[in-house]
Amino acid sequence: MAVVKACKILITGANRGLGLEIVKQLTENSFPKQHIFATCRDPDGPKSEALRELVKKHPSAITIIRLDADDPSSVKESAKKVGSLLGNNGLNLLVNNAGIVANGTIQTSSVEDMKNTFNTNVIGPLLIIREYLPYLQMAAKASGIPGMSSNKAAVINISTVAGSMTRMPSIYNQFPTLPYGVSKAGFNMLTVLAAEEFKADEILCMALHPGWVKTELGGDEATLEPKESVEGMLRVIGSLTEKQHGGFMDYSGETVTW
């Protein structure tokens, strides 16, 4: 089984759902030098209690960082803070997991929902990638290994089939989430163009669909438990090479059509 051996990892939206489960599983299978920067909007709030409890169990492996994807100044501050803690080998793995869902159709979607989903699901990750890019470049150079991998330097964008122009029409009646789908299609394009820009630096970039998961975002009717989804995603992340650069896959390793 492929294992994530990245030393320095940053995960957004790490206080609940898939983000929290990723932090849990990484700490359970931790390598001696591995350190996780678990970011969330409100580290001291009630919704971050489970993450704080996890840190008590693994104080040397996890650092909680405040990062609100919807607030550019918060993104900048988080990068400064993480940068001061990283050392000379940079950031190996950035997982853009934070995201929001809004329901609606052409006829019912509000301007506010469209703006909010786009700000959090597209502009937020764009700013996060931009601010953390120097640390990813540092990691790629420091590795001294040719090619691409998640252990060297990588951006993993947690996407969804709702952002697939091929897949979404057939599930739209069941999931009338136009603001979410449109924003995630934008997120997918961001992934493709980031991959194009990062080729020269050998920073791997790809989109990953976690499946339909029982989280606050996925709802109770979802078919997958977070544990199963994250086990699969970590297997995929650990096995990535330059062949998957700019690609779109699901938690089982299957290619998803754009």
Side-chain angles (χ1 to χ4, degrees), residues 71-98:
D71 177 1
S73 62
S74 160
V75 175
K76 267 189 187 298
E77 282 305 310
S78 76
K80 275 185 197 169
K81 174 80 175 167
V82 171
S84 71
L85 300 170
L86 275 175
N88 296 328
N89 291 323
L91 180 68
N92 303 104
L93 180 59
L94 167 60
V95 181
N96 268 316
N97 166 70

Side-chain angles (χ1 to χ4, degrees), residues 108-117:
T108 63
S109 296
S110 69
V111 170
E112 187 179 14
D113 279 346
M114 292 302 294
K115 284 181 175 174
N116 287 344
T117 52

Side-chain angles (χ1 to χ4, degrees), residues 139-191:
K141 280 180 187 168
S143 78
I145 305 162
M148 295 183 187
S149 80
S150 61
N151 303 326
K152 176 179 174 177
V155 177
I156 308 297
N157 288 333
I158 305 300
S159 189
T160 168
V161 292
S164 163
M165 294 190 201
T166 313
R167 298 276 295 274
M168 186 53 169
S170 63
I171 57 174
Y172 186 49
N173 285 337
Q174 189 183 358
F175 301 103
T177 54
L178 182 135
Y180 179 61
V182 170
S183 70
K184 285 295 192 176
F187 187 43
N188 285 348
M189 179 61 87
L190 174 66
T191 305

